[in-house]
Amino acid sequence: MSGTSGQAEPKSWDALERRYGFAGLRDIAERDTLPKLKDAKPRLANPSPINALYGGGCFVAFIGLLILIGFSSTFGIFGFVIGLVIAFFMARPSIAKIAKIQIDRMIADLSFRDSVFAPLANHVGLRYVAAPGGGQGIVAQQSREGFFQDSFKRLHEALEEFNGQDKAVAAARASGLVELATVIHIGGADEETKKARETGLTRLEDGFAGDHAGLHFDAFEVVRALRRTDDGTVYEAEHALLIVLELPRPLQSTTQLRSKKIGWHKPGEADRLERVRLESNDFEDDFQVRSNDQVEARFVFTPDVMARVIDLAHGDQVRATAQGDHLVVALEGPNRFDLTSQDTGLDSDAAIRLAIQQIGEMLDLVEIVADVFGIRD
């Protein structure tokens, strides 16, 4: 695959604003975005509500209570019993209090990111969604039951306030490109409840949605686990950008594409999907395609579409699924819209330019697919 793995070099403001509809973004960034970033707090490395309550909160509270019990035991068996009683009554409120700090940061981060990205997205005719899919899964479940209903209820309400893209999220899950977390299910929960738990542990963030070149599209980031390829090699992929294009007419087949250095998604479908030879030998060196309709597969993944996907990936691994009403493309790699992370190595102005450039590259892909279906405005 051409290019160097990692983020692209951000273009200048002059180059970015030459794109139709992008003029004026620099003024918005200087007037609105940059001042907000000056006081921005670093994002949580793993903003998981489950870890906040049942992970870190439990661990810190447990250590504290052990220390309490150990200290009380120095006063003999009576002190030990008193320590156990105090620990019993302190455990739950201690965990909730510790977790509240992280949950408050999660909610503040949703609001902050909406305030930063919404003006930029709106200017180019898009909508920013801070919490794609909203408060579904285990967050919704735990807001109605469990030990920490009040804490989860606050988070659920915040996720619902900044939600959206439900249809695109469902299409992405159906494509096999959003793996659900592995959960140990305790008790006799039904399959729907188990799936809800797994769904709620898969983080989705930084959504963009809109209509462009005659097509509706959605894009959002999914936090991914480590991936093991067919030969046993493990590749880190903490983030993936998913682009979901709503096609003007449904496809009759299922077609999957992947970079050769990454494993197939939904491997159980391998028996009914056959290898497709691409039109370009250059792409054959880097990608594999399989489908149950050779003609339709080559209709969707044309050389122009493949070239645009490569440009958007900037050397990172790619997978895609075309089925039904949607084409879903997943691009492994860095967190593409993290304006405050120290990992980017960019100052705030460069980070904003890179995010805007990435939005433009997504629109380039939409335009090429619209051309394939003959509907581009």
Side-chain angles (χ1 to χ4, degrees):
M1 183 180 296
S2 62
T4 302
S5 181
Q7 65 188 21
E9 188 70 23
K11 295 180 180 179
S12 67
W13 280 114
D14 288 340
L16 291 172
E17 293 196 314
R18 281 198 290 269
R19 184 186 184 97
Y20 178 78
F22 278 36
L25 284 174
R26 183 175 188 174
D27 289 341
I28 295 174
E30 292 177 347
R31 182 180 67 250
D32 183 80
T33 315
L34 284 171
K36 291 176 181 175
L37 292 181
K38 288 181 180 179
D39 299 323
K41 296 180 180 179
R43 297 193 70 189
L44 292 170
N46 182 27
S48 166
I50 306 304
N51 289 341
L53 286 161
Y54 297 115
C58 283
F59 178 77
V60 173
F62 180 72
I63 295 300
L65 294 175
L66 280 182
I67 294 174
L68 171 64
I69 293 172
F71 175 77
S72 64
S73 297
T74 60
F75 296 97
I77 186 65
F78 181 74
F80 176 73
V81 172
I82 292 297
L84 282 178
V85 173
I86 295 174
F88 176 80
F89 286 102
M90 286 182 60
R92 183 172 168 182
S94 297
I95 294 170
K97 188 172 182 178
I98 294 169
K100 181 179 181 299
I101 298 172
Q102 190 168 0
I103 287 180
D104 285 346
R105 287 184 63 186
M106 294 179 204
I107 295 173
D109 184 64
L110 288 172
S111 179
F112 169 75
R113 295 182 72 76
D114 181 75
S115 71
V116 168
F117 278 114
L120 297 171
N122 293 341
H123 185 78
V124 298
L126 302 178
R127 181 169 65 97
Y128 177 74
V129 180
Q136 52 184 306
I138 198 168
V139 175
Q141 179 197 23
Q142 292 291 300
S143 70
R144 299 187 297 268
E145 58 185 48
F147 291 113
F148 305 105
Q149 291 182 46
D150 291 341
S151 298
F152 275 104
K153 185 176 181 180
R154 289 182 56 247
L155 180 59
H156 181 261
E157 289 174 348
L159 290 171
E160 288 296 292
E161 179 183 352
F162 296 102
N163 78 342
Q165 300 183 292
D166 291 351
K167 185 177 179 181
V169 169
R173 296 195 191 284
S175 74
L177 293 169
V178 179
E179 295 91 345
L180 301 181
T182 300
V183 178
I184 299 175
H185 300 286
I186 301 175
D190 57 27
E191 290 302 316
E192 183 177 351
T193 300
K194 290 180 180 179
K195 186 66 69 175
R197 292 172 180 169
E198 295 166 354
T199 302
L201 288 172
T202 305
R203 267 180 48 210
L204 302 177
E205 60 188 22
D206 292 331
F208 295 87
D211 296 292
H212 184 71
L215 285 180
H216 179 79
F217 86 99
D218 293 86
F220 47 83
E221 287 204 300
V222 56
V223 178
R224 307 282 287 282
L226 296 177
R227 178 171 304 287
R228 188 180 300 277
T229 59
D230 294 338
D231 64 0
T233 304
V234 176
Y235 291 89
E236 291 189 6
E238 294 185 354
H239 290 83
L241 174 65
L242 266 70
I243 303 174
V244 184
L245 295 100
E246 191 172 320
L247 304 177
R249 54 184 181 273
L251 301 171
Q252 302 304 310
S253 64
T254 294
T255 300
Q256 296 180 337
L257 172 145
R258 70 171 173 92
S259 300
K260 284 191 174 179
K261 293 183 179 180
I262 198 169
W264 283 113
H265 45 302
K266 300 186 74 173
E269 295 191 354
D271 292 340
R272 70 184 185 88
L273 301 180
E274 299 178 352
R275 182 182 176 184
V276 177
R277 298 201 66 86
L278 299 173
E279 295 181 27
S280 170
N281 291 332
D282 293 336
F283 298 140
E284 286 277 355
D285 294 336
D286 296 316
F287 296 97
Q288 286 190 355
V289 178
R290 63 184 187 180
S291 177
N292 51 7
D293 188 321
Q294 300 275 322
V295 175
E296 195 167 64
R298 283 189 284 268
F299 168 77
V300 175
F301 291 107
T302 66
D304 286 344
V305 170
M306 297 290 291
R308 187 60 64 195
V309 168
I310 290 174
D311 290 343
L312 185 55
H314 293 288
D316 287 312
Q317 306 302 318
V318 178
R319 295 188 299 162
T321 295
Q323 66 180 9
D325 297 323
H326 294 89
L327 168 61
V328 185
V329 179
L331 305 160
E332 311 284 351
N335 187 347
R336 288 170 171 80
F337 302 103
D338 194 352
L339 302 183
T340 61
S341 172
Q342 298 299 313
D343 296 334
T344 62
L346 302 172
D347 60 34
S348 295
D349 181 81
I352 295 170
R353 286 187 281 118
L354 181 59
I356 292 172
Q357 178 177 325
Q358 290 159 348
I359 292 172
E361 291 172 344
M362 291 191 296
L363 297 180
D364 289 339
L365 177 61
V366 177
E367 291 171 1
I368 290 296
V369 174
D371 286 340
V372 167
F373 283 86
I375 60 168
R376 184 171 176 179
D377 291 343

